[in-house]
Amino acid sequence: MSETSIKTYTLDEIRQIKGRTDWDALRRAEELGLEPERNEDEFEVDWTRAKLVTPEPKKAISLRVDPDVLEFFKSQGAGYQTRMNAVLRAWMDAQLKR
């Protein structure tokens, strides 16, 4: 797999792709014991240039936020702190690109 085969997507593009999945057809195929069609080339990976990337550990902080902001993120389910971090990172990245 070459570096040119790597494609990045925006969150909106991922949501559009996710929205086009025919879940009912996949369920019917699964019920019949069929495997979804796959392009075998998609699964060939060249691991010879793979690099192990260890994520930097997060810093534990105390952060004051408005109660409704916290409740909104918590209402989205498990991983709310990760989502809050993603929002902050997106804002930071946007500011750095200015």
Side-chain angles (χ1 to χ4, degrees):
M1 179 181 286
S2 69
E3 290 182 33
T4 58
S5 66
I6 297 172
K7 176 133 173 79
T8 58
Y9 293 95
T10 66
L11 181 57
D12 287 334
E13 289 172 323
I14 291 170
R15 285 182 175 145
Q16 288 173 359
I17 292 168
K18 183 178 178 184
R20 291 193 307 249
T21 302
D22 188 348
W23 295 108
D24 291 330
L26 289 172
R27 283 187 200 93
R28 286 191 302 272
E30 186 178 77
E31 289 169 2
L32 295 173
L34 302 174
E35 288 289 323
E37 288 185 25
R38 293 185 173 132
N39 180 349
E40 292 302 319
D41 294 335
E42 291 179 31
F43 298 100
E44 292 182 24
V45 178
D46 177 11
W47 292 97
T48 60
R49 296 183 299 157
K51 297 176 186 170
L52 176 61
V53 178
T54 305
E56 200 171 308
K58 304 286 190 240
K59 299 268 185 188
I61 64 166
S62 174
L63 176 68
R64 295 176 186 271
V65 296
D66 294 329
D68 58 331
V69 172
L70 181 60
E71 282 308 309
F72 171 79
F73 278 94
K74 280 186 165 184
S75 73
Q76 305 301 304
Y80 74 93
Q81 291 173 321
T82 300
R83 282 189 297 281
M84 291 175 82
N85 186 70
V87 169
L88 290 169
R89 174 165 296 286
W91 185 83
M92 180 188 78
D93 291 344
Q95 298 304 305
L96 293 172
K97 288 180 183 177
R98 293 170 116 200

